[in-house]
Structures are given as C-alpha cells and as structure tokens.
Amino acid sequence: MMKLSEAWQKYQRQPFNWSSLPEKLKQQGKIIRFSPGSLIVNRGDMPNYIYFIQSGVVAGMREYENGNEYNYFRLDHANGSIGLLELLAQETSYVASIVCL
C-alpha cells in the first residue's frame, strides 16, 4: 500500500494560474483592473466568475460578529484564482470577501 507521502512525491505540484491557462481560454476572458481597497467579491455571494490574478495582491477577509476582521489568506499572480475552489467544491458561495491590496 502506498503511503500518502509517497503519493505526494509521485505527483509534482504544477502551478495553476493565469500563465498556465490555454491561450484559447484566455481569449474568452476579460481583463478587469481593481483599485487598491476595492472589494472584488463579497463573502456569501454566489461565484458567478473565476478571477485569475495577473498582477498585484488580494486578501481574503473574514468578518466576525463582534466586528473584528481577520486576514484569511493572500493571493498573487503565482497562486491566485478567485472562485475556482468554490467551483471545484461545488459551493454556492464565497468563503471570504476578497479585497484588492
């Protein structure tokens, strides 16, 4: 029986970002520029689009009932897609609000 650590070594992780998309798929997209501080998606909204980050940094924010905010994660051009995880997990809403930094 193969151990999980052996399986991880067998399959090298390849980045899945804008640069790894086929050119035909890139041509179907639309480039959108967000200003720093802009809200890209709101937690709880339905993911109607998948955003791939070409440049800059975004932060996933969670707000708690007491009003405190928590930086949940950061994404950039190397690891950045918004909505893809929800699509693959068949989730009907974003898990965090995404803000352009």
Side-chain angles (χ1 to χ4, degrees), residues 14 16 18 94:
Q14 300 295 320
F16 187 72
W18 175 259
Y94 291 110

Side-chain angles (χ1 to χ4, degrees), residues 43-58:
R43 180 179 179 219
D45 285 353
M46 182 170 220
N48 293 317
Y49 304 100
I50 297 174
Y51 299 88
F52 286 94
I53 301 166
Q54 290 182 293
S55 65
V57 179
V58 301

Side-chain angles (χ1 to χ4, degrees), residues 13-50:
R13 183 181 159 201
Q14 300 295 320
F16 187 72
N17 54 31
W18 175 259
S19 65
S20 65
L21 292 176
E23 201 59 41
K24 191 172 186 176
L25 190 56
K26 287 181 183 180
Q27 292 172 3
Q28 294 179 24
K30 178 180 177 182
I31 294 177
I32 301 172
R33 297 185 191 280
F34 292 93
S35 301
S38 299
L39 181 68
I40 300 172
V41 299
N42 204 10
R43 180 179 179 219
D45 285 353
M46 182 170 220
N48 293 317
Y49 304 100
I50 297 174

Side-chain angles (χ1 to χ4, degrees), residues 23-24 30 36 45 55 72 74 76 79 86-87 90 100:
E23 201 59 41
K24 191 172 186 176
K30 178 180 177 182
D45 285 353
S55 65
Y72 197 48
R74 287 182 180 242
D76 60 22
N79 66 351
E86 288 81 3
L87 175 71
Q90 299 179 357
C100 181

Side-chain angles (χ1 to χ4, degrees), residues 51-87:
Y51 299 88
F52 286 94
I53 301 166
Q54 290 182 293
S55 65
V57 179
V58 301
M61 310 286 289
R62 299 278 308 251
E63 296 175 3
Y64 293 97
E65 290 181 18
N66 63 7
N68 290 336
E69 290 183 349
Y70 172 68
N71 285 342
Y72 197 48
F73 54 84
R74 287 182 180 242
L75 302 171
D76 60 22
H77 73 281
N79 66 351
S81 67
I82 300 168
L84 185 60
L85 178 61
E86 288 81 3
L87 175 71

